[in-house]
Amino acid sequence: MSAIDATDLRAARPGISLAEPGDFLALLKPRVMSLVILTAVTGYLAAPGHMHPVLGFVSLLAIALGAGGSGALNMWYDADIDRVMKRTAGRPVPSGRVSAGGALAFGLSLSILSVIILGLASNWFAAAFLAFTIAFYAVFYTMGLKRRTAQNIVIGGAAGAFPPMVAWAAVTGGVSLESFVLFLIIFLWTPPHFWALALFKMQDYGAAGIPMLPNVAGERSTRRHIFAYTLLLVPVGVLPYVLGFGGPVYGVVSLALGLDFIRRAFLVLRMPDRDPAMVPAKKLFGFSIVYLFALFSILLIERVVALWMV
């Protein structure tokens, strides 16, 4: 059903719900949630200590629900700009399939429930950390800074980088240098990933009035920022091996992928202004997803193998 059909039907029959289960699933931002789950499971297994498997599963489920709840709150608040952008116009709220009030209630319910569950299953430090993460993303980033500063991606990236630290805290009751390194990898990865997207989606962001870096500082400055953050990211990506909680396979792969990341970022740096195709930026965006998933997947596999061999 199109957004226009949904609007007409809602006007004709006020109060009707057009939502299907898939629409509420979409509110959770399943692609983002998959990254949250991967990084949280990695942080959970990498942490020293032990939890009962059932409590560990419930804790990880709570972190995933918290991520989904904050995603729903983001979609509720951003419905006006999502409606303008081609990439997001089909989301449940701007398309009219889920009401704004329904999305708000869904997001708040999941967020509160996730914090309570995590506190009961693990510890209240981890629960407070999860609550802070949700508030940071939904309030500080989405409602506060996303529409006000070109550094929105840098700030918002912190929220997406917290899950492995939250999972680490669920096991240990605190945080450590290792968990901070996992945070830092995601935090430094986020700007080149999203700024590459912003380069070839400038018109969309401009129409929505979001001050993304290419729209505010220009393409050349954005390309320089992408390259600079990539140079910071790559050595941090190797740190798990240097610190001893990543194995030799991780060390080789993280270095090889990191060097390729730099090569691709350099190609973006050399792109001409107003390049209509922006092929290097599109390729960097796709590769950046592979890079992050590969790093955390290898860390996860190495840890599972190590536990299995004990």
Side-chain angles (χ1 to χ4, degrees):
M1 182 178 292
S2 69
I4 295 177
D5 292 339
T7 303
D8 291 344
L9 183 55
R10 193 178 296 279
R13 298 176 62 184
I16 188 172
S17 173
L18 304 175
E20 298 179 356
D23 295 320
F24 286 99
L25 178 63
L27 285 177
L28 304 180
K29 294 191 171 182
R31 291 183 181 179
V32 176
M33 185 182 284
S34 66
L35 175 61
V36 169
I37 293 172
L38 173 62
T39 59
V41 172
T42 302
Y44 170 81
L45 291 178
H50 176 74
M51 285 185 71
H52 189 282
V54 173
L55 293 179
F57 174 79
V58 172
S59 296
L60 291 170
L61 178 62
I63 295 171
L65 289 177
S70 62
L73 292 174
N74 172 270
M75 286 200 186
W76 158 71
Y77 191 80
D78 278 351
D80 58 332
I81 57 177
D82 283 349
R83 193 172 290 112
V84 176
M85 298 174 63
K86 295 178 182 178
R87 185 171 64 90
T88 56
R91 286 177 172 175
V93 180
S95 67
R97 300 192 306 275
V98 176
S99 68
L104 174 60
F106 185 60
L108 286 175
S109 299
L110 283 183
S111 298
I112 294 170
L113 184 64
S114 68
V115 172
I116 294 173
I117 291 175
L118 186 58
L120 294 174
S122 60
N123 60 79
W124 292 104
F125 174 81
F129 200 164
L130 179 60
F132 169 77
T133 301
I134 295 170
F136 190 95
Y137 181 72
V139 180
F140 187 65
Y141 165 67
T142 300
M143 302 178 190
L145 297 176
K146 181 176 180 178
R147 309 185 192 205
R148 291 178 172 84
T149 172
Q151 294 299 310
N152 46 19
I153 287 303
V154 178
I155 297 163
F162 283 134
M165 294 188 77
V166 176
W168 188 288
V171 178
T172 66
V175 295
S176 68
L177 175 61
E178 292 88 349
S179 66
F180 179 71
V181 167
L182 296 178
F183 163 87
L184 203 56
I185 291 172
I186 306 170
F187 177 73
L188 293 174
W189 167 86
T190 303
H193 169 72
F194 277 104
W195 283 334
L197 173 68
L199 279 172
F200 59 88
K201 292 291 184 180
M202 284 180 60
Q203 291 185 346
D204 250 10
Y205 285 116
I210 303 175
M212 294 297 284
L213 192 62
N215 301 81
V216 175
E219 295 179 33
R220 183 174 301 179
S221 177
T222 303
R223 298 197 304 269
R224 289 173 178 169
H225 277 74
I226 288 173
F227 190 67
Y229 269 90
T230 301
L231 292 179
L232 293 173
L233 167 65
V234 170
V236 173
V238 183
L239 274 182
Y241 170 71
V242 175
L243 295 175
F245 67 100
V249 174
Y250 177 87
V252 171
V253 173
S254 63
L255 180 60
L257 290 178
L259 292 175
D260 197 24
F261 206 132
I262 292 174
R263 180 186 69 84
R264 292 170 183 271
F266 182 69
L267 292 177
V268 172
L269 180 66
R270 294 181 59 191
M271 271 187 357
D273 290 339
R274 294 179 293 278
D275 182 342
M278 291 198 178
V279 172
K282 292 176 181 177
K283 288 185 175 181
L284 179 65
F285 174 74
F287 174 80
S288 66
I289 299 173
V290 174
Y291 172 84
L292 193 67
F293 270 87
L295 261 58
F296 277 87
S297 296
I298 293 172
L299 276 177
L300 178 58
I301 293 170
E302 286 183 339
R303 186 58 182 163
V304 169
V305 171
L307 292 172
W308 180 73
M309 294 179 65
V310 172

